[in-house]
Amino acid sequence: MHLRLAFLGHRILTRSSIFTRSSRHLACGCSSTLSPRVDGFALFRMFIFTSVQHRRVSDPDDPASLMKEDGVNVCSQLWVQSFREPDETVTNLTTYLRRFELWVLAYQKVCADETGAYMPRNAIQRSALEDLLALRNAVLDNRFKWGARLQFFIKSPKDKTDYESLSKRKMRAVLTTTQPTPFQDRIVQEVLFMILEPIYEARFSQKSFAFRPGRTVHTVIRVIRRSFAGYLWYIKGDLSTILDGMKVGMVISALMRDVRDKKVIDLIKAALVTPVITTPPGLGEKKKTKKRKYQKKRVLAEDEPKPDPYWLETFFGFAPEEAEKVPSWGHCGILSPLLANVCLDELDRWMEGKIEEFYRPSKSDVLWNNPEGEVEQGNTSWPEFVPTSGPDKTRKIDYIRYGGHILIGVRGPRADAATLRKQLIEFCDQKYLLKLDNESLPIEHITKGILFLDHVLCRRVVYPTLRYTATGGKIISEKGVGTLLSVTASLKQCIKQFRKLHFLKGDRDPDPQPCFRMFHATQAHTNAQMNKFLSTMVEWYRYADNRKKVVNFCSYIVRGSLAKLYAAKYKLRSRAKVYKIGSRTLSRPLKEKKGQSPEYYDLLRMGLAESIDGLMYTRMSLVPETDYTIFPIGWRPDHEKALLEYIRLEDPKTVEEQRSCLREQGLVSPQDYISMLVWNYKRSANMVDQPTIINGGNNTESGKQLLFGQSNKNTFETTRDEEESEERCHVAQV
């Protein structure tokens, strides 16, 4: 029996194609020495050895072998490298395009947007990883086509359609009508965005704030309050037609100023050139169908993302005009805002040059009298004042851009503003082929009020008393003239947005309208939704001078709208009866004429009627004060601060400077303290008697002296008394 088993193993090992030559030689050698009395365990060990040796051979096309590092770590390295060398032309982006970790990270992000839930890397199926690898190889081999409708390298986890079995009619509809962006296109867009964003974020001007991480509308308002005080003339420009689209050659030339990678440039060029298939005007009309008397509610699937809540949709309706338009160029998707900023960055750099050119300092100016124009001798934000303009004052301009809208402040005569406007028109015509005129770039005085991002910039003249010490020690007190820059929320724009959302009607005397969309919701749910909306409005008007007034007005409109809704729902005829039953904040449960409302019957029976939250900010005293926190000069977002600090600490010069500073101040770093402690312990361990250390306090003190005494003589010779050494040791421990 043993002999038959040995011959069978020999035949399998020599004829099988899965084993290597070394394993075959081992098998043949072993089989020649086998005898019927030899235990079969040796043959079993040989099988295990050969199988393990075969598994160790790595497959280059295996997705698991390509994920050697975390994708977030790869992105972090790219951010650090870009901020360390912001002016260097990038030529090796294809190496990042080959990193499979970035493709997996992009797949996770797109799946989160698609399904509404984050998918960990260990939860991704192997078939999805293989399809993702096929997509990466197709992009690298120039086999990928933007906007594919029927042939996909990878599909969404939600897409269960079998495109091979579609009928001709459905296939024609897929090929000729507007369809959502393919799942594989979104993955490629995400990978390109992760590669290009850190490169251009390190190069963008500090004067642009739209479509960039860490820079919001609030940042723009705080910058305006900080830097635009004292300007008399303002130029508002609407360049949003650039966001609708630009010529492909202009976009590619703007990209190639900093990126010279052919693979990435060709991908973006193909995305811009490939036409987007949309539904023809006549084919989109659907036949009229009779509505059912009772519409059934659609039940969402488990993996289907929930729609935005009502309060969030309402707040999105309050988006200012400057933030409504988001660029969408060809098949670029999320790359479109980044490409728009790349093209408009040339305008930002040109305006920075004009700021230096127009700066003419005056020694008699209080704030801006530095020849370089970078250092200010005071704070131009609230509540300090800025001297008014005049022939003996400094001439200065400033600039800010949010998306396709620009705001320029001019401190000086109107002729300077007119000259700058003329040069700006010529620059836009030459660079962007954009025809502008004086009407599209109006020059307005600060006294008329400048509307920007739904906030009004206006001026208040003040006459403060200036007290200063003259030569000889004489204190002089005289009247001065200055201006306060007031940034207030536009109540007119607020009414306009509420009217657009059908919350009110009328302009001069706005009348709230019932919010019938929440008719079938419970009172607790409706109040909770509106409280979230009001808390969001409080945050939106955080930096407005009239924050209390405008938020109280929003609360009045919402409260009146809900009162009319409840009056119609519970048949109470008027808002007065609703307020009488439900209180001013609508926190009490309302009743119908014929008994109790069914949705609150259980709450009333269990005594949970007080759980209904009342409306917030029904009184002006409940609204928080305006945030007047001083905005620092040279502000940067938190992630850029962390990057610059990390780069600075990595520099060997910084480490040497810190060590020299510690030596000058007589301090000890924690690392040096630990190394000194370990070294002294190693040198003195043989000299210390352990039983004597365990016993009384005197022996412990002698042990400490053995551990620390010798290092104090060698490394801290500058110490003269015991008190200084104790303080230094305490600082080192901290």
Side-chain angles (χ1 to χ4, degrees):
M1 181 68 185
H2 292 283
L3 185 59
R4 290 180 181 178
L5 182 62
F7 285 138
L8 178 62
H10 177 269
R11 183 176 300 176
I12 292 175
L13 293 175
T14 53
R15 294 185 180 181
S16 179
S17 60
I18 62 173
F19 298 108
T20 59
R21 295 182 178 178
S22 59
S23 60
R24 288 182 183 179
H25 179 72
L26 179 63
C28 295
C30 291
S31 61
S32 62
T33 57
L34 285 174
S35 63
R37 297 181 180 181
V38 176
D39 192 2
F41 184 70
L43 184 63
F44 176 74
R45 288 177 57 189
M46 182 172 54
F47 271 109
I48 296 298
F49 173 76
T50 53
S51 61
V52 170
Q53 186 180 10
H54 174 69
R55 285 200 301 266
R56 288 178 183 175
V57 178
S58 60
D59 186 6
D61 294 332
D62 186 13
S65 63
L66 295 176
M67 292 187 292
K68 301 177 182 179
E69 198 174 355
D70 188 16
V72 178
N73 190 20
V74 177
C75 289
S76 302
Q77 294 174 5
L78 185 56
W79 276 89
V80 172
Q81 182 181 354
S82 300
F83 273 80
R84 182 182 287 115
E85 300 172 350
D87 299 328
E88 185 178 354
T89 303
V90 184
T91 58
N92 58 344
L93 290 183
T94 307
T95 56
Y96 288 96
L97 203 60
R98 295 179 184 275
R99 298 297 295 268
F100 191 64
E101 299 92 341
L102 294 181
W103 292 85
V104 175
L105 183 60
Y107 178 82
Q108 290 176 297
K109 295 177 68 175
V110 177
C111 280
D113 295 338
E114 187 84 6
T115 62
Y118 175 74
M119 181 182 294
R121 193 168 71 172
N122 55 5
I124 304 176
Q125 298 181 359
R126 181 174 179 81
S127 59
L129 291 176
E130 293 175 352
D131 295 341
L132 191 62
L133 181 60
L135 176 63
R136 189 207 70 164
N137 295 335
V139 170
L140 293 174
D141 298 339
N142 298 327
R143 292 182 287 108
F144 173 75
K145 303 296 181 183
W146 293 96
R149 296 297 181 92
L150 297 177
Q151 298 178 355
F152 303 109
F153 292 97
I154 185 172
K155 294 197 301 184
S156 170
K158 291 174 54 181
D159 190 3
K160 307 298 181 182
T161 307
D162 186 7
Y163 290 92
E164 296 180 357
S165 61
L166 288 179
S167 62
K168 291 183 178 180
R169 182 180 59 84
K170 292 184 178 180
M171 193 175 297
R172 189 184 305 111
V174 170
L175 293 174
T176 58
T177 58
T178 304
Q179 299 291 331
T181 306
F183 186 76
Q184 62 179 13
D185 288 16
R186 295 171 59 186
I187 293 178
V188 179
Q189 293 166 5
E190 193 69 45
V191 172
L192 290 174
F193 184 77
M194 286 191 294
I195 294 174
L196 292 176
E197 186 187 24
I199 295 172
Y200 284 102
E201 280 296 324
R203 292 163 168 78
F204 281 155
S205 170
Q206 301 298 321
K207 302 291 184 180
S208 64
F209 291 88
F211 316 128
R212 298 183 61 185
R215 292 172 168 84
T216 61
V217 177
H218 281 170
T219 312
V220 178
I221 295 172
R222 297 185 70 186
V223 169
I224 289 174
R225 186 188 293 279
R226 175 68 179 85
S227 304
F228 277 71
Y231 294 101
L232 289 181
W233 304 99
Y234 286 84
I235 304 175
K236 280 182 58 180
D238 184 4
L239 310 179
S240 57
T241 54
I242 296 178
L243 303 183
D244 296 333
M246 292 181 61
K247 290 187 176 181
V248 178
M250 299 172 64
V251 179
I252 297 301
S253 63
L255 276 173
M256 293 186 67
R257 285 187 291 115
D258 302 307
V259 175
R260 298 293 177 86
D261 191 284
K262 187 177 184 301
K263 185 74 66 178
V264 174
I265 295 296
D266 290 346
L267 267 176
I268 297 176
K269 185 177 181 179
L272 293 170
V273 172
T274 305
V276 180
I277 301 175
T278 57
T279 306
L283 297 178
E285 300 177 358
K286 296 182 180 180
K287 296 181 180 180
K288 295 183 179 180
T289 56
K290 293 183 180 180
K291 293 184 179 180
R292 296 181 180 179
K293 189 174 183 181
Y294 300 102
Q295 295 287 338
K296 292 184 179 180
K297 294 183 178 179
R298 192 173 71 88
V299 180
L300 298 176
E302 294 182 358
D303 57 346
E304 187 175 1
K306 296 181 180 179
D308 291 334
Y310 180 69
W311 69 271
L312 194 57
E313 292 183 3
T314 307
F315 177 70
F316 284 161
F318 269 79
E321 180 185 356
E322 292 83 359
E324 282 183 347
K325 184 177 291 187
V326 179
S328 179
W329 297 354
H331 294 278
C332 291
I334 59 173
L335 280 173
S336 302
L338 178 63
L339 296 178
N341 273 335
V342 170
C343 296
L344 290 172
D345 187 61
E346 298 182 14
L347 174 63
D348 302 336
R349 299 299 180 184
W350 182 80
M351 281 301 307
E352 288 179 353
K354 291 298 175 183
I355 290 174
E356 298 179 0
E357 179 183 339
F358 271 76
Y359 182 68
R360 301 168 191 171
S362 175
K363 294 183 179 180
S364 61
D365 202 303
V366 178
L367 294 178
W368 299 295
N369 53 19
N370 188 39
E372 299 179 359
E374 297 179 357
V375 182
E376 296 179 355
Q377 296 182 354
N379 182 17
T380 60
S381 63
W382 178 276
E384 296 188 14
F385 76 97
V386 178
T388 56
S389 177
D392 57 340
K393 302 299 180 182
T394 297
R395 295 187 180 184
K396 192 174 184 292
I397 67 173
D398 209 339
Y399 161 83
I400 201 169
R401 179 178 65 83
Y402 189 86
H405 294 260
I406 62 174
L407 181 67
I408 304 173
V410 181
R411 192 169 190 260
R414 191 181 186 279
D416 290 352
T419 304
L420 180 61
R421 179 174 64 178
K422 182 179 178 181
Q423 296 176 359
L424 181 60
I425 291 174
E426 294 176 356
F427 176 82
C428 292
D429 187 13
Q430 179 183 0
K431 202 71 181 176
Y432 303 112
L433 303 179
L434 185 62
K435 303 295 182 182
L436 300 175
D437 53 7
N438 294 341
E439 294 182 359
S440 58
L441 294 172
I443 299 176
E444 299 178 356
H445 198 267
I446 185 63
T447 54
K448 294 184 178 180
I450 313 299
L451 181 63
F452 194 72
L453 292 171
D454 285 355
H455 286 69
V456 179
L457 315 180
C458 54
R459 182 185 70 170
R460 286 188 290 170
V461 182
V462 294
Y463 302 93
T465 302
L466 302 178
R467 294 182 177 87
Y468 57 93
T469 304
T471 56
K474 183 179 180 181
I475 299 177
I476 298 177
S477 177
E478 61 180 12
K479 287 284 186 179
V481 181
T483 58
L484 290 177
L485 181 64
S486 178
V487 182
T488 59
S490 175
L491 196 60
K492 184 178 179 181
Q493 287 294 114
C494 185
I495 294 174
K496 179 181 177 181
Q497 302 289 5
F498 269 122
R499 194 189 311 113
K500 184 176 66 175
L501 297 170
H502 307 289
F503 269 88
L504 56 81
K505 65 178 182 179
D507 291 333
R508 296 185 178 179
D509 190 11
D511 183 24
Q513 297 298 303
C515 177
F516 283 115
R517 185 170 175 181
M518 305 293 292
F519 187 83
H520 297 286
T522 61
Q523 183 181 354
H525 179 68
T526 304
N527 286 8
Q529 291 283 303
M530 291 305 167
N531 279 336
K532 290 181 180 178
F533 169 70
L534 289 175
S535 60
T536 313
M537 296 300 294
V538 168
E539 183 64 23
W540 166 240
Y541 293 115
R542 180 177 182 177
Y543 300 100
D545 292 339
N546 58 343
R547 183 187 189 185
K548 285 180 171 291
K549 180 179 179 181
V550 69
V551 172
N552 189 54
F553 173 77
C554 295
S555 178
Y556 161 74
I557 296 297
V558 170
R559 189 167 63 99
S561 177
L562 291 186
K564 285 191 175 183
L565 171 67
Y566 294 150
K569 183 176 181 179
Y570 299 110
K571 302 178 182 179
L572 297 176
R573 295 185 181 180
S574 64
R575 286 185 288 177
K577 289 188 177 181
V578 174
Y579 292 142
K580 184 177 180 181
I581 298 173
S583 76
R584 178 186 178 89
T585 60
L586 304 176
S587 59
R588 298 176 185 172
L590 299 169
K591 300 178 182 179
E592 294 182 355
K593 287 185 177 180
K594 299 179 182 179
Q596 298 172 343
S597 179
E599 53 263 28
Y600 297 113
Y601 178 77
D602 296 335
L603 292 176
L604 293 174
R605 185 183 62 182
M606 293 184 293
L608 299 177
E610 296 180 357
S611 62
I612 301 176
D613 297 330
L615 290 181
M616 304 166 62
Y617 312 117
T618 55
R619 299 185 184 277
M620 194 175 293
S621 59
L622 301 176
V623 182
E625 296 286 344
T626 306
D627 188 356
Y628 288 117
T629 307
I630 297 176
F631 198 67
I633 302 175
W635 174 89
R636 279 180 175 268
D638 293 338
H639 69 280
E640 291 188 9
K641 287 182 181 177
L643 283 170
L644 296 175
E645 184 68 17
Y646 177 78
I647 293 170
R648 192 179 68 86
L649 292 177
E650 268 194 337
D651 190 2
K653 295 182 180 179
T654 305
V655 179
E656 189 61 33
E657 289 176 0
Q658 292 178 348
R659 288 181 177 176
S660 61
C661 182
L662 289 174
R663 294 193 199 99
E664 291 176 359
Q665 297 182 5
L667 301 177
V668 182
S669 64
Q671 294 85 351
D672 293 340
Y673 176 76
I674 294 297
S675 61
M676 176 267 295
L677 188 65
V678 172
W679 177 249
N680 287 332
Y681 176 77
K682 288 182 177 180
R683 294 185 61 183
S684 306
N686 298 328
M687 300 172 58
V688 178
D689 188 9
Q690 294 182 359
T692 57
I693 295 178
I694 295 174
N695 294 330
N698 295 330
N699 296 330
T700 304
E701 293 295 331
S702 62
K704 288 183 179 180
Q705 290 179 3
L706 286 174
L707 288 176
F708 294 101
Q710 193 170 4
S711 64
N712 289 335
K713 293 180 181 179
N714 297 331
T715 59
F716 301 106
E717 295 180 355
T718 57
T719 57
R720 295 182 179 180
D721 50 311
E722 296 180 356
E723 295 180 357
E724 292 183 0
S725 63
E726 291 178 359
E727 292 178 359
R728 191 169 294 106
C729 185
H730 177 68
V731 170
Q733 291 178 359
V734 173

